[in-house]
Short mmCIF file of all heavy atoms in Angstrom, two decimals:
data_model
loop_
_atom_site.label_atom_id
_atom_site.label_comp_id
_atom_site.label_asym_id
_atom_site.label_seq_id
_atom_site.Cartn_x
_atom_site.Cartn_y
_atom_site.Cartn_z
N ILE A 28 142.87 -139.97 158.33
CA ILE A 28 141.90 -140.34 159.37
C ILE A 28 141.66 -141.84 159.34
O ILE A 28 141.27 -142.40 158.30
CB ILE A 28 140.56 -139.59 159.17
CG1 ILE A 28 140.77 -138.09 159.35
CG2 ILE A 28 139.50 -140.11 160.13
CD1 ILE A 28 141.14 -137.64 160.75
N GLY A 29 141.85 -142.50 160.46
CA GLY A 29 141.65 -143.95 160.56
C GLY A 29 142.95 -144.66 160.91
O GLY A 29 144.02 -144.27 160.44
N SER A 30 142.86 -145.66 161.76
CA SER A 30 144.04 -146.43 162.16
C SER A 30 143.67 -147.91 162.26
O SER A 30 142.79 -148.27 163.04
CB SER A 30 144.56 -145.93 163.51
OG SER A 30 145.71 -146.64 163.91
N PRO A 31 144.33 -148.78 161.47
CA PRO A 31 145.31 -148.49 160.43
C PRO A 31 144.71 -147.61 159.32
O PRO A 31 143.50 -147.54 159.17
CB PRO A 31 145.68 -149.88 159.89
CG PRO A 31 145.24 -150.84 160.92
CD PRO A 31 144.07 -150.24 161.59
N ALA A 32 145.59 -147.00 158.56
CA ALA A 32 145.16 -146.06 157.53
C ALA A 32 144.41 -146.77 156.40
O ALA A 32 144.55 -147.98 156.19
CB ALA A 32 146.38 -145.33 156.96
N MET A 33 143.62 -146.00 155.70
CA MET A 33 142.92 -146.51 154.53
C MET A 33 143.93 -146.97 153.48
O MET A 33 144.98 -146.35 153.28
CB MET A 33 142.02 -145.41 153.93
CG MET A 33 141.22 -145.85 152.72
SD MET A 33 140.26 -144.51 151.96
CE MET A 33 138.92 -144.33 153.11
N ASN A 34 143.63 -148.08 152.81
CA ASN A 34 144.44 -148.52 151.67
C ASN A 34 144.13 -147.63 150.47
O ASN A 34 142.96 -147.48 150.10
CB ASN A 34 144.09 -149.97 151.31
CG ASN A 34 144.39 -150.93 152.45
OD1 ASN A 34 145.54 -151.17 152.79
ND2 ASN A 34 143.35 -151.50 153.06
N LEU A 35 145.15 -147.03 149.88
CA LEU A 35 144.97 -146.14 148.74
C LEU A 35 145.90 -146.57 147.61
O LEU A 35 147.09 -146.78 147.83
CB LEU A 35 145.29 -144.69 149.12
CG LEU A 35 144.31 -143.99 150.08
CD1 LEU A 35 144.95 -142.75 150.67
CD2 LEU A 35 143.02 -143.63 149.36
N PHE A 36 145.34 -146.71 146.40
CA PHE A 36 146.18 -147.03 145.24
C PHE A 36 145.44 -146.62 143.98
O PHE A 36 144.22 -146.45 143.97
CB PHE A 36 146.53 -148.52 145.21
CG PHE A 36 145.34 -149.45 145.32
CD1 PHE A 36 144.60 -149.82 144.21
CD2 PHE A 36 144.97 -149.96 146.56
CE1 PHE A 36 143.52 -150.66 144.32
CE2 PHE A 36 143.87 -150.80 146.69
CZ PHE A 36 143.14 -151.16 145.56
N ASP A 37 146.20 -146.43 142.91
CA ASP A 37 145.61 -146.04 141.63
C ASP A 37 145.10 -147.27 140.88
O ASP A 37 145.72 -148.34 140.95
CB ASP A 37 146.64 -145.31 140.76
CG ASP A 37 147.01 -143.94 141.33
OD1 ASP A 37 146.29 -143.48 142.24
OD2 ASP A 37 148.01 -143.36 140.86
N ALA A 38 143.97 -147.09 140.20
CA ALA A 38 143.38 -148.19 139.43
C ALA A 38 142.88 -147.66 138.10
O ALA A 38 142.47 -146.50 137.98
CB ALA A 38 142.23 -148.82 140.22
N ASP A 39 142.91 -148.51 137.08
CA ASP A 39 142.44 -148.14 135.74
C ASP A 39 140.92 -148.10 135.69
O ASP A 39 140.23 -148.95 136.26
CB ASP A 39 142.94 -149.16 134.70
CG ASP A 39 144.44 -149.10 134.52
OD1 ASP A 39 145.00 -147.99 134.45
OD2 ASP A 39 145.08 -150.18 134.46
N VAL A 40 140.41 -147.09 134.99
CA VAL A 40 138.98 -147.04 134.71
C VAL A 40 138.70 -147.97 133.54
O VAL A 40 139.35 -147.90 132.50
CB VAL A 40 138.54 -145.60 134.36
CG1 VAL A 40 137.07 -145.57 133.95
CG2 VAL A 40 138.80 -144.66 135.52
N VAL A 41 137.75 -148.89 133.71
CA VAL A 41 137.39 -149.85 132.66
C VAL A 41 135.88 -149.81 132.46
O VAL A 41 135.15 -149.12 133.17
CB VAL A 41 137.84 -151.29 133.05
CG1 VAL A 41 139.35 -151.37 133.14
CG2 VAL A 41 137.22 -151.73 134.37
N GLU A 42 135.41 -150.56 131.50
CA GLU A 42 133.97 -150.62 131.22
C GLU A 42 133.23 -151.09 132.48
O GLU A 42 133.49 -152.16 133.02
CB GLU A 42 133.70 -151.60 130.08
CG GLU A 42 132.25 -151.66 129.63
CD GLU A 42 131.74 -150.35 129.03
OE1 GLU A 42 132.56 -149.63 128.41
OE2 GLU A 42 130.56 -150.04 129.22
N GLY A 43 132.34 -150.24 132.97
CA GLY A 43 131.51 -150.62 134.12
C GLY A 43 132.08 -150.26 135.47
O GLY A 43 131.39 -150.41 136.48
N GLY A 44 133.32 -149.79 135.55
CA GLY A 44 133.85 -149.47 136.86
C GLY A 44 135.35 -149.27 136.84
O GLY A 44 135.90 -148.61 135.95
N VAL A 45 136.05 -149.87 137.81
CA VAL A 45 137.51 -149.77 137.89
C VAL A 45 138.10 -151.17 138.02
O VAL A 45 137.47 -152.08 138.57
CB VAL A 45 137.97 -148.89 139.07
CG1 VAL A 45 137.48 -147.47 138.92
CG2 VAL A 45 137.53 -149.46 140.40
N GLN A 46 139.31 -151.32 137.49
CA GLN A 46 139.98 -152.62 137.53
C GLN A 46 140.44 -152.92 138.95
O GLN A 46 141.12 -152.11 139.58
CB GLN A 46 141.18 -152.62 136.58
CG GLN A 46 141.77 -153.98 136.33
CD GLN A 46 140.83 -154.88 135.51
OE1 GLN A 46 140.25 -154.43 134.53
NE2 GLN A 46 140.68 -156.12 135.94
N PHE A 47 140.04 -154.09 139.44
CA PHE A 47 140.43 -154.50 140.79
C PHE A 47 141.08 -155.87 140.68
O PHE A 47 140.46 -156.90 140.96
CB PHE A 47 139.19 -154.54 141.70
CG PHE A 47 139.49 -154.34 143.15
CD1 PHE A 47 139.56 -153.07 143.70
CD2 PHE A 47 139.76 -155.43 143.97
CE1 PHE A 47 139.86 -152.88 145.03
CE2 PHE A 47 140.06 -155.25 145.31
CZ PHE A 47 140.10 -153.98 145.84
N GLY A 48 142.34 -155.87 140.23
CA GLY A 48 143.02 -157.14 139.98
C GLY A 48 142.33 -157.86 138.84
O GLY A 48 142.19 -157.33 137.74
N THR A 49 141.88 -159.10 139.10
CA THR A 49 141.19 -159.89 138.08
C THR A 49 139.68 -159.67 138.13
O THR A 49 138.93 -160.37 137.45
CB THR A 49 141.50 -161.38 138.27
OG1 THR A 49 141.09 -161.78 139.58
CG2 THR A 49 142.98 -161.66 138.09
N ALA A 50 139.23 -158.71 138.93
CA ALA A 50 137.79 -158.40 139.03
C ALA A 50 137.56 -156.95 138.61
O ALA A 50 138.51 -156.18 138.44
CB ALA A 50 137.29 -158.64 140.45
N THR A 51 136.29 -156.62 138.43
CA THR A 51 135.91 -155.24 138.17
C THR A 51 135.04 -154.75 139.32
O THR A 51 134.03 -155.37 139.64
CB THR A 51 135.11 -155.11 136.85
OG1 THR A 51 135.91 -155.56 135.76
CG2 THR A 51 134.70 -153.66 136.61
N ALA A 52 135.46 -153.67 139.95
CA ALA A 52 134.64 -153.06 140.98
C ALA A 52 133.71 -152.07 140.28
O ALA A 52 134.17 -151.12 139.65
CB ALA A 52 135.52 -152.36 142.00
N LEU A 53 132.42 -152.32 140.37
CA LEU A 53 131.45 -151.53 139.62
C LEU A 53 131.27 -150.16 140.25
O LEU A 53 131.01 -150.02 141.44
CB LEU A 53 130.11 -152.26 139.58
CG LEU A 53 130.14 -153.70 139.04
CD1 LEU A 53 128.76 -154.30 139.02
CD2 LEU A 53 130.76 -153.72 137.64
N VAL A 54 131.44 -149.12 139.42
CA VAL A 54 131.27 -147.74 139.86
C VAL A 54 130.41 -147.02 138.84
O VAL A 54 130.56 -147.24 137.63
CB VAL A 54 132.64 -147.02 140.01
CG1 VAL A 54 132.45 -145.59 140.48
CG2 VAL A 54 133.54 -147.76 140.98
N ASP A 55 129.52 -146.19 139.30
CA ASP A 55 128.59 -145.46 138.44
C ASP A 55 129.34 -144.68 137.35
O ASP A 55 130.31 -143.98 137.62
CB ASP A 55 127.76 -144.51 139.30
CG ASP A 55 126.72 -143.75 138.49
OD1 ASP A 55 125.69 -144.36 138.16
OD2 ASP A 55 126.98 -142.59 138.17
N ARG A 56 128.85 -144.78 136.13
CA ARG A 56 129.51 -144.15 134.99
C ARG A 56 129.59 -142.62 135.14
O ARG A 56 130.58 -141.99 134.79
CB ARG A 56 128.75 -144.50 133.70
CG ARG A 56 129.42 -143.97 132.42
CD ARG A 56 128.61 -144.35 131.20
NE ARG A 56 128.51 -145.80 131.06
CZ ARG A 56 127.75 -146.40 130.13
NH1 ARG A 56 127.04 -145.67 129.30
NH2 ARG A 56 127.70 -147.72 130.06
#
């Protein structure tokens, strides 16, 4: 659903969230 389509990729779970390149995207533990 959506055009262009949603960007989807796998990311590592790290302290405080998920790895987003050189940043951390904060996600609830």
Side-chain angles (χ1 to χ4, degrees):
I28 296 293
S30 181
M33 181 184 285
N34 298 291
L35 291 164
F36 52 85
D37 292 347
D39 292 317
V40 175
V41 296
E42 184 65 32
V45 298
Q46 192 69 44
F47 206 87
T49 58
T51 300
L53 306 181
V54 181
D55 183 78
R56 184 180 299 174

